Amino acid sequence: MKSSFPIFLAVFVALGASFGGFVVGGISQLGTEKQTTVLNSTDTYPLQRTGDATLGLQVYRAQGCAACHTTQVRQDGMTCDVVLMGAGKNLRAVQKVLGEIAPADKDLATNQLPKTIFSGVTKEVAGDNSDKLTGAGAKAEIHINATGADISRGWGIRQSVAEDFLWDYPVQLGSLRAGPDLANVGARYTMNLQLQHLYAPQSVDKNSAMPPFKYLFVVRKKINGELSPDALSLPKGIVPDDSEVIPTDDAKNLAAYLVSLRADVPLYDAPFTPTVSAPAEKK
Amino acid sequence: MNVNENKISVSEIDASCRVPLLALFGGAALWLVIGLALSIVASLTFHKPDMFANCAWLTYGRVQPAANDLILYGFCIPAALGVMLWIFARLSQIPIVLPLLPIVAANIWHLGVVVGTLVILSGNSTGFLWLEYGRGAFVLLLCAFFLFAISAFATFGARHHRELHVSHWFLIAALLWFPWIYAAANFFLVICPVRGVAQAVIDWWFANNLIFVWLALVGIGAAFYFLPKFAGRPLHNHYLALFAFWTLIIFGTWCGIPQGAPVPAWLPAASTVASALLIIPLIAIAKISVKTVYGANTQCKGGPFCYIKFGTAAFILSSLMLIAQACPHFSRVVGFTWFGPAQTQFQLLGFFAIVILGGFYELMLRVMGCELPYPKFVRVQHWLFIAGLVLLVGSLAVAGIVQGMKLENPKIAFDDVSSATLIAFRFSTTGQLLLLLGSFLFAANIFVMTARWKFGLLKSGWKALNAPLQASEVKS
């Protein structure tokens, strides 16, 4: 071939196809995304992060935290539980159905309710059995649980979805887990623990490989031997007894951002049934 | 240029590349050394976490991207442009057209790299993987590329033989593709940012197209130029090479969106299909290279031929790693582990750097018209790089698989998962040290060469100044 123009054109089309697909397609589908509503609720999600947390995302970006941490939880699938909430008016009929589908619970008494009849079953099995129970006049609910290694590890309740990152710039998904996933770290650590962890990671987790971010803190002598209101309450031995550690604004904002990382509401894309009791704080 | 003009001698063509190539390669050598040194600094954090606790500029999250970007933007791209320019001049059989432009471009480019590196280390990076440099450096790099491309296209357009060489296809596609992806990614992520995870999608698209597609276009384009030259016979099959080219750009450009990402399912699915189909150009490239080289009567003895052969083989292997990462089950295990960085380092240093260094050692002798100052270093560097790569890539890839398998088991505490990978850093840091040593040898050759050339220029200038005036010029 002697003329190079057709080549340029063909090369442009071949290369440009991926631009059309991923960039133009991606923007038209995801770039116009809007807030969504929380499943079985009228609450909108996600809310804007607070001011300090929004600033904290910039500290997160500047320190390059995403080099070691992801903020995306993966999910393998889901399982369902069937929970009998009430026996209705005809306990006999319900017990009869239970005798067929779950013989172990056939002598169920109303004071035992609510009771999980099936756990860890597929959507179809749960649907069939719950239909049978409601057919007998009982009140049955299907509870959905997300499954996967990340979720069993306690890194999240459900998978991360596009909506979780709606307000963030830059979106810091991360690509390596040299450290744990942070998608739901706000539910695990309190503000104080976050600050302590940033100042001296090994004081929170002995084997942590995370570098301390001491440059985000100021160490100074205590005034009249008293801790300032802003100072971190650290375990003994990290700083001399007559010194205190004051977080800079950057440290406070970063901790506020980390605390704001909570992907813990059910969405249409990522359903689950929230547990009523509040999750216990770690340590 | 008139086709009927007298044929220009090869040495004249080579000499026209001298200053632009010294400008491109000189900076590239410096950035390679600094980039590898910084990546060692970064890996020290894993040996002793509190080493840089009080130094914001040296914290891992800043040094690591700075090192990666120095290797990619500082070394790979300018070195690629140098080799590209020389191949264009040789294939067109004319001296470089507008030779001043690549010299200016090289200097602007290197300035852009300085700006970008300072931006990252001072904590002002954009936060997007492989696009950390921000606005200032973006403008500089793009301008430099345009200036360079004008000269490259002009040299291409003035070629004597209108017939296109296979390498033309690869290299021209690369010239078109870089400004497109770099401008698009910067526009939608930095200048006029889009909302939400569309940012991540664009970043993945850009990173894959730069690190996999662009480097493959230049590296394989150069390999298809050099391999037949070394083997002393034509490229195995012209049409198969074009087939490899088309399948590479059609399938390769769609890879890069990881599975399980929080984006609509069609995006990772498209990438998975494209990655699987990538096996087609790989087989074609492997077949062409093997058939061209196999049985050739040329000993490589650790010289440039060895470099290009090893680099091409590394391309096949690193691409297989890329395909493996997109396999549905395997991706679950190695996603978010050290396997990904291992693949990227292999692509950058194992495939691309080695092919380009092979090209460099071959063309520099001709361009400078003299022997290398330390010819033995070429062979030593080859072995240092191979040993370094085996240690670096091998240990990280194994660590990645181990880490992935342990992460899949929620009963193993995360600390135990991390500590299982720590042993790998002893090997990978050793590997990085060997690579750094090797890059010192490369830098020594090019800097001594440049210094000697400049000294020669000075000497001849001095001589001309001090030469006794000719009788005719003396006023009576």
Side-chain angles (χ1 to χ4, degrees):
Chain A
M1 199 184 288
K2 291 190 176 173
S3 164
S4 42
F5 182 71
I7 300 175
F8 290 162
L9 204 69
V11 167
F12 240 72
V13 172
L15 291 170
S18 73
F19 174 80
F22 284 163
V23 180
V24 179
I27 293 173
S28 62
Q29 186 176 7
L30 294 165
T32 52
E33 223 180 359
K34 298 206 168 61
Q35 280 175 313
T36 173
T37 46
V38 175
L39 208 59
N40 302 328
S41 148
T42 50
D43 297 347
T44 47
Y45 179 85
L47 298 178
Q48 277 273 20
R49 293 188 201 284
T50 54
D52 50 355
T54 309
L55 290 172
L57 170 61
Q58 299 312 316
V59 184
Y60 189 92
R61 164 192 62 73
Q63 315 314 323
C65 304
C68 291
H69 293 283
T70 55
T71 48
Q72 39 177 333
V73 170
R74 296 181 300 184
Q75 178 177 334
D76 289 335
M78 57 165 101
T79 60
C80 295
D81 300 343
V82 179
V83 184
L84 191 61
M85 304 302 287
K89 288 175 184 157
N90 192 346
L91 183 63
R92 273 284 172 79
V94 176
Q95 281 175 335
K96 197 177 162 217
V97 173
L98 280 174
E100 287 163 17
I101 59 174
D105 291 317
K106 69 178 180 348
D107 299 325
L108 190 88
T110 41
N111 61 3
Q112 288 173 306
L113 296 178
K115 186 165 177 22
T116 306
I117 308 294
F118 290 97
S119 79
V121 295
T122 63
K123 207 167 92 185
E124 289 73 24
V125 173
D128 285 351
N129 290 316
S130 133
D131 286 351
K132 282 180 190 157
L133 286 169
T134 42
K139 188 164 174 272
E141 278 184 6
I142 298 176
H143 288 185
I144 301 168
N145 304 305
T147 58
D150 292 358
I151 291 161
S152 316
R153 214 168 257 290
W155 282 348
I157 306 167
R158 58 156 170 89
Q159 65 180 346
S160 298
V161 289
E163 289 90 330
D164 294 334
F165 307 93
L166 186 64
W167 301 120
D168 290 348
Y169 176 78
V171 170
Q172 299 282 285
L173 288 180
S175 58
L176 178 68
R177 283 177 177 167
D181 187 274
L182 302 180
N184 207 28
V185 73
R188 304 202 291 272
Y189 281 19
T190 57
M191 185 84 165
N192 263 326
L193 203 55
Q194 289 288 6
L195 286 167
Q196 183 188 335
H197 190 262
L198 286 169
Y199 182 76
Q202 287 74 20
S203 74
V204 177
D205 180 351
K206 211 174 91 217
N207 297 319
S208 172
M210 179 168 129
F213 289 85
K214 293 195 172 155
Y215 58 83
L216 294 176
F217 296 83
V218 177
V219 181
R220 66 179 187 199
K221 286 263 179 278
K222 282 180 190 166
I223 301 162
N224 301 330
E226 296 279 319
L227 268 185
S228 316
D230 247 11
L232 298 190
S233 51
L234 292 170
K236 280 204 163 163
I238 294 177
V239 284
D241 281 345
D242 59 345
S243 302
E244 60 181 7
V245 178
I246 312 288
T248 60
D249 287 346
D250 276 355
K252 285 188 213 159
N253 292 337
L254 178 56
Y257 169 68
L258 292 171
V259 169
S260 81
L261 285 172
R262 294 180 82 110
D264 56 358
V265 293
L267 301 174
Y268 180 76
D269 291 357
F272 69 93
T273 309
T275 43
V276 181
S277 59
E281 188 183 305
K282 193 181 165 186
K283 286 176 193 174
Chain B
M1 184 161 293
N2 192 344
V3 180
N4 297 325
E5 221 172 287
N6 285 341
K7 215 171 178 188
I8 302 145
S9 75
V10 173
S11 60
E12 211 175 312
I13 298 172
D14 287 339
S16 78
C17 301
R18 193 172 293 162
V19 186
L21 259 57
L22 280 181
L24 286 164
F25 280 118
L30 184 67
W31 297 135
L32 181 64
V33 170
I34 299 179
L36 286 169
L38 278 184
S39 62
I40 293 175
V41 170
S43 76
L44 289 179
T45 298
F46 286 103
H47 299 280
K48 195 171 181 302
D50 58 354
M51 193 168 252
F52 304 113
N54 290 311
C55 182
W57 285 61
L58 289 180
T59 195
Y60 179 83
R62 297 188 189 181
V63 175
Q64 181 62 32
N68 281 338
D69 282 2
L70 274 175
I71 292 171
L72 177 66
Y73 292 99
F75 169 72
C76 289
I77 297 179
L81 297 182
V83 172
M84 201 190 269
L85 196 64
W86 182 77
I87 293 179
F88 272 180
R90 273 297 190 94
L91 286 176
S92 298
Q93 298 184 347
I94 50 159
I96 297 175
V97 181
L98 305 169
L100 200 60
L101 288 187
I103 303 172
V104 177
N107 285 299
I108 299 179
W109 184 281
H110 292 315
L111 178 67
V113 174
V114 174
V115 171
T117 307
L118 292 178
V119 160
I120 298 177
L121 291 179
S122 63
N124 291 301
S125 100
T126 64
F128 293 109
L129 198 62
W130 296 109
L131 207 68
E132 290 92 349
Y133 277 177
R135 284 166 204 235
F138 158 64
V139 172
L140 288 171
L141 295 189
L142 200 65
C143 285
F145 198 92
F146 274 127
L147 290 179
F148 174 86
I150 291 170
S151 170
F153 272 121
T155 311
F156 167 75
R159 66 195 182 280
H160 275 286
H161 293 290
R162 304 311 291 174
E163 206 70 43
L164 289 185
H165 189 278
V166 168
S167 299
H168 272 137
W169 291 71
F170 284 86
L171 299 181
I172 284 175
L175 272 181
L176 292 173
W177 199 217
F178 179 82
W180 187 341
I181 56 173
Y182 194 57
N186 268 294
F187 181 78
F188 289 119
L189 295 182
V190 181
I191 314 274
C192 181
V194 295
R195 188 187 280 180
V197 282
Q199 293 165 26
V201 174
I202 294 171
D203 196 19
W204 283 319
W205 168 80
F206 166 76
N208 168 67
N209 274 293
L210 184 57
I211 294 171
F212 180 69
V213 179
W214 198 84
L215 294 188
L217 284 173
V218 180
I220 297 299
F224 281 177
Y225 177 81
F226 285 111
L227 283 178
K229 245 184 168 20
F230 289 128
R233 50 181 171 183
L235 195 69
H236 165 63
N237 187 333
H238 182 81
Y239 293 101
L240 190 58
L242 291 187
F243 173 75
F245 168 75
W246 284 110
T247 45
L248 179 70
I249 63 171
I250 289 171
F251 302 140
T253 46
W254 286 85
C255 303
I257 313 277
Q259 293 213 347
V263 293
W266 69 270
L267 291 159
S271 274
T272 306
V273 174
S275 305
L277 289 170
L278 207 57
I279 200 81
I280 298 168
L282 285 190
I283 293 172
I285 290 169
K287 190 180 171 201
I288 296 165
S289 314
V290 169
K291 288 258 181 178
T292 306
V293 170
Y294 192 70
N297 251 341
T298 322
Q299 291 292 313
C300 69
K301 290 182 186 155
F305 191 26
C306 272
Y307 276 75
I308 306 236
K309 278 199 287 189
F310 178 86
T312 316
F315 171 71
I316 304 290
L317 284 178
S318 85
S319 307
L320 287 175
M321 283 168 80
L322 185 86
I323 295 174
Q325 271 179 300
C327 281
H329 290 289
F330 196 61
S331 77
R332 202 60 168 178
V333 176
V334 296
F336 303 143
T337 70
W338 287 99
F339 193 83
Q343 193 272 332
T344 312
Q345 296 297 327
F346 201 27
Q347 175 81 2
L348 288 174
L349 295 165
F351 153 58
F352 194 75
I354 296 247
V355 166
I356 288 302
L357 286 170
F360 166 81
Y361 284 129
E362 172 65 14
L363 64 86
M364 222 46 198
L365 303 176
R366 297 159 205 280
V367 166
M368 299 304 288
C370 64
E371 281 295 309
L372 286 173
Y374 311 107
K376 277 188 188 155
F377 281 7
V378 178
R379 205 168 144 191
V380 179
Q381 192 201 348
H382 183 62
W383 290 114
L384 281 174
F385 258 61
I386 290 180
L389 283 165
V390 168
L391 283 174
L392 173 68
V393 177
S395 61
L396 286 186
V398 172
I401 294 171
V402 171
Q403 183 192 2
M405 291 192 325
K406 293 196 177 217
L407 273 177
E408 279 294 278
N409 181 356
K411 289 198 183 104
I412 302 177
F414 185 78
D415 282 349
D416 298 335
V417 179
S418 317
S419 53
T421 59
L422 281 181
I423 180 83
F425 291 108
R426 298 198 183 147
F427 293 104
S428 69
T429 310
T430 316
Q432 284 171 324
L433 273 171
L434 295 180
L435 287 165
L436 180 64
L437 273 181
S439 66
F440 270 128
L441 302 184
F442 162 59
N445 256 327
I446 184 155
F447 289 139
V448 171
M449 211 175 208
T450 315
R452 278 187 191 169
W453 173 72
K454 284 193 175 159
F455 189 66
L457 278 186
L458 271 180
K459 223 159 93 179
S460 53
W462 185 249
K463 231 183 197 169
L465 267 178
N466 285 342
L469 287 178
Q470 295 201 343
S472 58
E473 291 177 26
V474 180
K475 279 184 187 167
S476 51

